Amino acid sequence: MAKKAEAAVGPDADPVSRFEDAMKELEGIVQDLERGELKLEESLQLFRRGIELARQCRGALDGAELTVRNLLETDAPGDEAP
């Protein structure tokens, strides 16, 4: 069964490390579920954890996208004061 990445990287880790660890854990969960060898309750627990990780990753990607947009707007032509 997949292990939680939170144990490997604490909340003080940089966002990239947290994202990568969450993705790695999510990939492990998907593999475990695809094998189909788990009991129903175990599958449900993994599915819940997978949803939590997917939401965490989506939030990280949304934050990164916002950062990129803000940086691009700052560098856009016409943003300088006359």
Side-chain angles (χ1 to χ4, degrees):
M1 193 152 79
K3 295 181 181 173
K4 290 188 178 184
E6 292 172 337
V9 176
D12 295 333
D14 68 280
V16 173
S17 293
R18 287 194 311 265
F19 174 81
E20 290 173 350
D21 287 343
M23 282 298 296
K24 186 175 181 178
E25 183 181 350
L26 186 55
E27 289 169 358
I29 287 172
V30 169
Q31 290 174 359
D32 288 348
L33 290 172
E34 285 178 341
R35 275 196 288 277
E37 299 172 356
L38 301 171
K39 294 181 180 181
L40 179 59
E41 188 57 37
E42 292 172 318
S43 294
L44 287 172
Q45 285 179 323
L46 281 180
F47 184 78
R48 284 185 192 103
R49 178 66 180 152
I51 293 296
E52 179 182 306
L53 290 166
R55 288 178 179 153
Q56 177 184 333
C57 290
R58 180 77 255 168
L61 290 173
D62 289 345
E65 181 180 10
L66 180 60
T67 298
V68 169
R69 285 184 184 193
N70 288 337
L71 290 169
L72 291 175
E73 287 176 8
T74 301
D75 292 339
D79 282 349
E80 293 110 26

